[in-house]
Amino acid sequence: DEAWELTAETLTYSRAVGESYRIARNLHQLAEIDLLRGRTAEALELLAESISLNIEHGRRGDAALQMRLVAGIAGDTGDTLAAVRCAAFADANANALITMLPDDRAAHALRVEQWRASLAPEDWATAWAAGAAMDAAGADALISSLVTQVR
């Protein structure tokens, strides 16, 4: 609780000075804390804002890292197609600008293979293509649908 409060306070200061990188990082940190607290919908909403900021400011690699996290959430909720779309976005942007600490790519790759095995090849291909081409608005819409599912 204290970590969330301190990070929320930092976010307030980051917003006051308009520092987009710090805002995105604070939002991500709050989302991670919310996930630990079992507040999945709230975490997804925070991630959506952070991803949008990262894409808007050219930090697509950071957005890719965050979409891997969203992919895991989607997979955990049973929405394999959304998980695949998020994973495809992450893969398509994996080599773009990254300023955040890297995540566990091996664990993510294992989950992607599990999702691939659980879908018909044509469903996989459609979801993967949609995710790889996703823009900020598409990411926001996808995450919003996940928020609705977890609430």
Side-chain angles (χ1 to χ4, degrees):
D1 290 339
E2 184 178 354
W4 199 97
E5 289 173 21
L6 291 171
T7 305
E9 183 178 351
T10 303
L11 174 60
T12 299
Y13 294 125
S14 298
R15 287 189 194 279
V17 297
E19 171 46 55
S20 74
Y21 169 76
R22 195 54 48 204
I23 294 167
R25 290 286 295 151
N26 296 150
L27 290 165
H28 182 92
Q29 290 165 328
L30 288 170
E32 292 271 9
I33 295 167
D34 272 347
L35 286 173
L36 291 172
R37 296 163 83 188
R39 298 170 46 112
T40 306
E42 292 81 355
L44 285 166
E45 290 170 339
L46 292 163
L47 285 167
E49 184 179 353
S50 184
I51 289 166
S52 180
L53 271 173
N54 279 326
I55 292 171
E56 178 183 333
H57 290 278
R59 297 183 299 267
R60 293 185 72 84
D62 288 349
L65 291 173
Q66 293 173 303
M67 285 298 274
R68 279 201 286 272
L69 180 59
V70 175
I73 295 167
D76 289 345
T77 64
D79 193 337
T80 306
L81 291 174
V84 170
R85 288 173 58 201
C86 292
F89 175 91
D91 186 69
N93 293 280
N95 295 320
L97 179 62
I98 296 175
T99 60
M100 296 171 55
L101 295 174
D103 60 358
D104 186 347
R105 285 187 178 199
H108 174 71
L110 178 63
R111 292 196 78 181
V112 169
E113 287 309 310
Q114 291 169 340
W115 298 326
R116 180 191 305 262
S118 74
L119 292 172
E122 60 276 4
D123 292 340
W124 168 268
T126 299
W128 191 264
M134 195 177 334
D135 60 8
D140 189 54
L142 179 60
I143 295 169
S144 292
S145 73
L146 290 170
V147 168
T148 302
Q149 288 179 39
V150 300
R151 283 217 158 126

